[in-house]
Amino acid sequence: MEIPPELLRLRLDFLAAQARCEELSAAMPTNAQLREGYEISREDLDERNRALGEARKARLVLAVELSGHPWFGEQKDAVSAREAVEKAAKAALAGSGLEPAAA
């Protein structure tokens, strides 16, 4: 099963977008922290929320592109095709020394 390079690139871009969302989410104070007096300016909180929203939007665009890629429709077994793309993406990341985003 030969995976188109642009499809692999989309999956890698999605994994990077996922990692960015996780990074931005982790930097957000929790509601409990805010109730307990966590110090953050309104501007900083608004900026973090804006950045997280943009990152989530970018991830969603990539998810839609991935799920609608025509290569998947050409495959007899969609599950195996998606697994092959995931395996190829993880192999590409392993070769780069980077870790895949948590699924």
Side-chain angles (χ1 to χ4, degrees):
M1 179 177 305
E2 188 170 331
I3 299 165
E6 75 278 1
L7 179 57
L8 179 58
R9 179 78 257 154
L10 272 174
R11 183 62 187 159
L12 291 170
D13 290 348
F14 177 84
L15 292 173
Q18 176 66 22
R20 180 70 177 143
C21 287
E22 290 171 4
E23 174 189 337
L24 291 170
S25 290
M28 293 292 289
T30 64
N31 287 337
Q33 287 174 315
L34 292 171
R35 281 191 305 272
E36 293 169 0
Y38 180 87
E39 293 291 326
I40 187 170
S41 70
R42 184 74 208 166
E43 294 80 21
D44 189 28
L45 187 57
D46 288 347
E47 175 57 28
R48 289 183 191 189
N49 275 315
R50 184 200 58 73
L52 181 56
E54 287 179 7
R56 287 175 172 166
K57 181 179 178 181
R59 180 184 61 186
L60 179 60
V61 167
L62 289 166
V64 169
E65 286 182 48
L66 266 171
S67 66
H69 195 283
W71 182 80
F72 289 117
E74 299 166 2
Q75 306 309 305
K76 290 181 181 179
D77 183 351
V79 172
S80 293
R82 291 188 189 284
E83 288 173 351
V85 171
E86 185 65 20
K87 183 177 178 181
K90 286 181 179 178
L93 285 173
S96 71
L98 299 174
E99 288 295 319

